[in-house]
Amino acid sequence: MRRLHLLRHAKSDWSDPSLADHDRPLNRRGKRTRKVIAGHVAGWSVDLVLCSTAVRARATAKPVIEALGCVVRYERALYTAGGRELLEVVRALPDDLDTVMLVGHNPALEELTVTLCGSSPRYPAGALATIEFMTDQWANVAPGSGTLTAHVTPAQLKAGR
């Protein structure tokens, strides 16, 4: 079995219109949310975090990676990728990894979820989903082969405190 966690970056700051989209940081709410997410995933077994190079994605991932204690790889292609491109990234993962977290953007995460599972919940900023595949090889991950086993939003996590 393979497990894929999809994390949309937390709420970003739009206050500086001179910043390129790639360079937008998190706002105050986003900084709080990333800590809640990190607390939620603490103790999970994740082999690798693949993270977009966008500042807001990296900032979201930082405490999550610390909580997971795993390896991270930053990939610029995740910033502009659509759902189909993300599927190819997943299919190219090495088979010695059982569980991977992808930290990225919408609409790509929703598109990937629709491709893998047939439908998708909404991914507001900071949403986290888990998709499982009944295969031992990432290359076998195909449209319709996934099962969405969990989906949580920051509002749900905060309400559960």
Side-chain angles (χ1 to χ4, degrees):
M1 183 176 75
R2 297 289 181 249
R3 181 174 291 129
L4 179 65
H5 301 293
L6 302 176
L7 173 60
R8 182 178 176 198
H9 65 78
K11 197 79 171 152
S12 60
D13 186 347
W14 289 82
S15 66
D16 185 350
S18 69
L19 284 178
D21 183 71
H22 186 273
D23 299 330
R24 280 191 293 115
L26 295 178
N27 67 15
R28 220 180 289 153
R29 186 169 117 198
K31 290 176 183 175
R32 287 190 308 266
T33 296
R34 69 184 179 169
K35 293 176 186 173
V36 173
I37 297 164
H40 178 71
V41 303
W44 286 14
S45 177
V46 173
D47 301 310
L48 173 69
V49 171
L50 287 176
C51 184
S52 161
T53 57
V55 170
R56 61 192 179 275
R58 292 174 70 109
T60 300
K62 187 176 190 296
V64 171
I65 294 161
E66 290 169 1
L68 294 171
C70 67
V71 175
V72 62
R73 191 170 79 214
Y74 299 99
E75 294 196 11
R76 181 145 182 113
L78 297 181
Y79 172 66
T80 57
R84 288 287 177 179
E85 291 89 357
L86 290 181
L87 175 58
E88 293 312 311
V89 168
V90 170
R91 290 175 48 82
L93 290 168
D95 289 330
D96 62 335
L97 305 175
D98 293 323
T99 303
V100 173
M101 179 180 286
L102 194 153
V103 182
H105 309 270
N106 245 4
L109 295 180
E110 286 182 22
E111 292 168 0
L112 178 61
T113 304
V114 167
T115 298
L116 295 173
C117 303
S119 65
S120 177
R122 288 192 56 247
Y123 278 79
L128 173 66
T130 302
I131 301 173
E132 294 182 350
F133 307 94
M134 300 308 291
T135 182
D136 290 332
Q137 297 179 322
W138 288 106
N140 292 338
V141 170
S145 68
T147 301
L148 183 69
T149 59
H151 180 268
V152 66
T153 66
Q156 292 168 327
L157 290 175
K158 290 174 188 171
R161 293 179 113 185

